[in-house]
Amino acid sequence: MAFQNKNLSVIAYANGFTLWHYVSDEKIAAITTAGYFDSVKTLMNIGDVIIINATDNTALRKVGVTGDKITLAALA
């Protein structure tokens, strides 16, 4: 299954930072693949955080960019 706009929402926004929430019927490995969120890359900024509710896990990930793809990294 591919990214679904209807499953992405903003929880909070301040000073150029956005806290996102995304829910999906997919596994976390599929959702965190580079490029998964590319269709909304104009909305996301480097350093934004996404709370992901997947079928197999819930995770916090930080938005980054590698090349021209949106990437997600574990929070340190």
Side-chain angles (χ1 to χ4, degrees):
M1 180 181 275
F3 170 78
Q4 299 282 315
N5 272 349
K6 66 180 182 173
N7 295 340
L8 180 69
S9 57
V10 173
I11 295 175
Y13 174 83
N15 301 320
F17 168 82
T18 304
L19 176 60
W20 300 91
H21 178 257
Y22 186 71
V23 63
S24 178
D25 290 334
E26 294 182 273
K27 293 187 176 194
I28 199 76
I31 298 167
T32 56
T33 301
Y36 186 88
F37 288 95
D38 279 357
S39 64
V40 291
K41 66 182 169 185
T42 59
L43 303 175
M44 295 184 166
N45 295 307
I46 294 171
D48 284 356
V49 173
I50 303 176
I51 301 168
I52 301 169
N53 291 111
T55 58
D56 62 340
N57 203 354
T58 297
L60 291 173
R61 295 290 186 263
K62 181 172 58 171
V63 174
V65 176
T66 301
D68 63 345
K69 297 205 176 288
I70 292 284
T71 56
L72 301 179
L75 295 174

